[in-house]
Amino acid sequence: MKDLVSRCPIEEVMQVLGGRWPTLLIYYLKDGTKRFSDLRRDNPTVSHRILTLELRKLEQAGIVERTVFDGYPLRVEYDLTPAGHTLMPLVDALGDWWEAHDAARPAAQTKTAAEAAAVS
Amino acid sequence: MKDLVSRCPIEEVMQVLGGRWPTLLIYYLKDGTKRFSDLRRDNPTVSHRILTLELRKLEQAGIVERTVFDGYPLRVEYDLTPAGHTLMPLVDALGDWWEAHDAARPAAQTKTAAEAAAVS
DNA sequence: TGTAAATTACGCACATTTTTGTCACCACGC
DNA sequence: GCGTGGTGACAAAAATGTGCGTAATTTACA
């Protein structure tokens, strides 16, 4: 997903939210301020490099806010921005949609011409 | 995004909708039935292999329906399933959110401790 | 009192894994 | 030979992970 192929805003959101981590990080941040190491502990399967990269991406997108405190043991806090908070219900809705249709998910088999004809 | 890391439904939707093509394909299919070659023409930047792969993924997810017509010039049609149609507004909402916040997107700079303090 | 070690939040170089693309090929009928 | 809707082998590109180094300060331990 190096660059965009359309000017569609949806493609742009997906560029930020697509992938495994962004939505998960947003989820953890929903509960309130988290430090870098908190997020690492919440999700040990993400490498620190990717975590920083993803957080920067979300920061650039205006979804999370990064605050640096100088001082002895370096300290950086992450929070959802107001925009990030308005995004939450939309993402939740997607999750709910999935759950609803996952429960009702049937064979999902390709129809043959015969079956298609039988319907009409 | 080989496998899941949580049981979160959001991660699962993202596994299907994440990436560049799924949402675009859904967009084209929104207008009605499309054949494989229609979709190729709509979007020449996707390779045919990826197109088939993505379509299969969407089919498996119950978002698109594939119908094969036997006969002389091979013919396969793709449509959104009812579930796929209910998904559209959710995806649109994300796009709208992006546009709204893209317009209002400010510096998005990391705050320093001093700035953070100045706020309170 | 001295010193080694840990913590925190990274950045960098490199290695590996995953995804995506290329190209050739298939059968079918015209 | 063309177009249709694929599949499979392989290659390129992109994403992700690994391990080391950094700074300042605190703690552990003899």
Side-chain angles (χ1 to χ4, degrees), chain B residues 89-102:
Chain B
L90 304 181
V91 175
D92 280 339
L94 272 183
D96 292 344
W97 175 89
W98 181 263
E99 277 197 314
H101 286 285
D102 200 38

Side-chain angles (χ1 to χ4, degrees), chain B residues 35 37 67-77:
Chain B
R35 300 183 51 177
S37 44
T67 313
V68 177
F69 297 86
D70 315 326
Y72 45 107
L74 209 48
R75 178 188 162 87
V76 180
E77 284 185 356

Side-chain angles (χ1 to χ4, degrees), chain A residues 24 28 95 98-99 102, chain B residues 4-13:
Chain A
L24 279 183
Y28 285 118
W98 181 264
E99 277 196 314
D102 200 39
Chain B
L4 296 171
V5 97
S6 70
R7 266 156 253 90
C8 174
I10 295 182
E11 200 188 335
E12 295 176 41
V13 208

Side-chain angles (χ1 to χ4, degrees), chain A residues 14 17-21 23-24 27 91-103 105, chain B residues 1-19 22 57-58 60-63 87:
Chain A
M14 280 321 197
L17 296 184
R20 170 149 63 242
W21 311 116
T23 44
L24 279 183
Y27 242 81
V91 175
D92 280 339
L94 272 182
D96 292 343
W97 175 88
W98 181 264
E99 277 196 314
H101 287 283
D102 200 39
R105 207 176 308 287
Chain B
M1 219 178 345
K2 186 89 178 286
D3 38 46
L4 296 171
V5 97
S6 70
R7 266 156 253 90
C8 174
I10 295 182
E11 200 188 335
E12 295 176 41
V13 208
M14 280 322 196
Q15 189 135 37
V16 175
L17 296 185
K57 197 172 67 174
L58 291 171
Q60 291 239 357
I63 295 169
L87 176 62

